[in-house]
Amino acid sequence: MPSPSDGPAPGSATVREAAAGATSVPAAVAVREVRHRYGRGADAVTALGPLTLDIPAGEFLVLVGPSGCGKSTLLRLIAGFERASSGTVAVHGGAPEPGRQAGVVFQQPRLFPWRTVGDNISLALRFAGVPRAERPARVEELLERVGLTGTSGRRTWQISGGQQQRVAIARALAGGKDLLLLDEPFAALDALTRERLQEDLRTVSAQTGITSVFVTHSVDEAVFLGTRAVVLSARPGTVALDIPIELPRTGSEDPDELRGLPGYAALRAEIGATVRDAAR
Ligand code: ADP
């Protein structure tokens, strides 16, 4: 498979045009006329498409939609875990490759439980080619960014589910990746932990400007976290609504004040109504 520096993949005039995009900010991710099907013949399931989407650098895109509409499929295509049945997906103008361009966070943290917090992150830094001598300082920086300063020596089974998910986010950020793909990362957490992680992720996103694609069922989570929401229709998922979320975003907003803004309620209502229509 080509590396990002190898340039666009075969059939890539379209990929190049897509990456150039119509907007002034180049797209970090360009999805063009993508359809995806699982299986063959009578058992085939068309999960997604046709779908066309540009995700500019620095955007926090939330993908919302009814269960089974293809949200995770789209994320897996951008991560390079699957190849689209037709159409093209480009990340920074090249074909996506697993583990190369994007850090991925799943619903379960998927850490090595017998290793320490620091070792789990250090391993990702090693895969990213960070020299051994630089790794301890980078581990500390990443832990600080996700609010886990001082936990490097703890075993992952000794920390809470919320803390484990913070480690998973730190690991996804390791190696200086500038694209974060998150598939319902907070869905398995209790409500309070989930809110804390949402607040911290919003702060990290606002302060680093890392491009993110975040899959969720929750309309409130979508409005709270995103700079843009895309609602997918029922399977096969196509774009039912594509709307900017223009709320204050310095990273230091008070969450309650943010949720109290009239614009917040209006976005919740519009996105919620579209999701309900899509689920019918
Ligand atoms: P969502 O994330 O929106 O819930 P998914 O992308 O997981 O939706 O799935 C979209 C559709 O594709 C669903 O109907 C699901 O059952 C089907 N699907 C997902 N993965 C596979 C697979 N590996 N094999 C067959 N069908 C699949």
Side-chain angles (χ1 to χ4, degrees):
M1 275 195 225
S3 72
S5 55
D6 291 328
S12 48
T14 331
V15 172
R16 226 181 341 258
E17 281 156 24
T23 53
S24 52
V25 185
V29 179
V31 177
R32 283 287 170 279
E33 288 294 319
V34 160
R35 286 185 169 82
H36 196 64
R37 199 176 50 246
Y38 292 104
R40 288 176 187 278
D43 293 332
V45 174
T46 303
L48 192 70
L51 194 110
T52 292
L53 200 64
D54 270 342
I55 307 175
E59 192 160 76
F60 195 117
L61 180 86
V62 282
L63 272 178
V64 202
S67 208
C69 72
K71 302 181 293 296
S72 298
T73 298
L74 178 56
L75 212 71
R76 286 202 293 271
L77 293 171
I78 299 170
F81 298 153
E82 309 259 359
R83 287 275 177 169
S85 306
S86 65
T88 55
V89 177
V91 179
H92 301 310
E97 280 187 66
R100 190 177 273 265
Q101 299 107 324
V104 186
V105 184
F106 302 95
Q107 190 168 326
Q108 299 303 329
R110 302 189 187 187
L111 304 173
F112 294 114
W114 63 92
R115 292 199 177 218
T116 64
V117 165
D119 284 348
N120 269 277
I121 299 172
S122 201
L123 199 61
L125 290 168
R126 184 175 139 203
F127 285 133
V130 175
R132 182 191 288 266
E134 292 175 24
R135 285 179 218 152
R138 296 281 286 277
V139 166
E140 289 308 320
E141 271 169 35
L142 286 159
L143 286 176
E144 190 185 338
R145 203 186 284 179
V146 297
L148 283 182
T149 305
T151 60
S152 175
R154 301 192 67 188
R155 306 267 159 198
T156 50
W157 55 264
Q158 291 177 316
I159 61 175
S160 70
Q163 288 175 323
Q164 288 182 16
Q165 203 54 305
R166 287 173 190 270
V167 177
I169 294 171
R171 183 182 57 183
L173 294 167
K177 294 199 180 74
D178 58 3
L179 177 62
L180 202 51
L181 305 174
L182 307 107
D183 195 351
E184 303 210 49
F186 307 147
L189 303 174
D190 65 87
L192 194 62
T193 306
R194 182 174 184 159
E195 268 183 32
R196 294 236 169 90
L197 268 102
Q198 287 169 348
E199 289 162 18
D200 290 350
L201 180 61
R202 195 176 198 275
T203 303
V204 169
S205 157
Q207 290 174 352
T208 62
I210 186 167
T211 312
S212 304
V213 187
F214 187 106
V215 167
T216 181
H217 275 101
S218 159
V219 174
D220 185 71
E221 185 167 71
V223 177
F224 186 77
L225 285 174
T227 60
R228 173 185 173 198
V230 166
V231 179
L232 295 186
S233 67
R235 195 186 80 206
T238 57
V239 176
L241 178 72
D242 186 346
I243 188 169
I245 298 176
E246 288 163 340
L247 294 170
R249 203 175 176 88
T250 60
S252 55
E253 286 80 20
D254 179 272
D256 292 332
E257 279 176 24
L258 199 67
R259 289 195 168 92
L261 294 173
Y264 194 99
L267 282 161
R268 261 194 75 146
E270 183 166 5
I271 295 168
T274 313
V275 174
R276 279 193 298 280
D277 281 354
R280 272 191 197 124

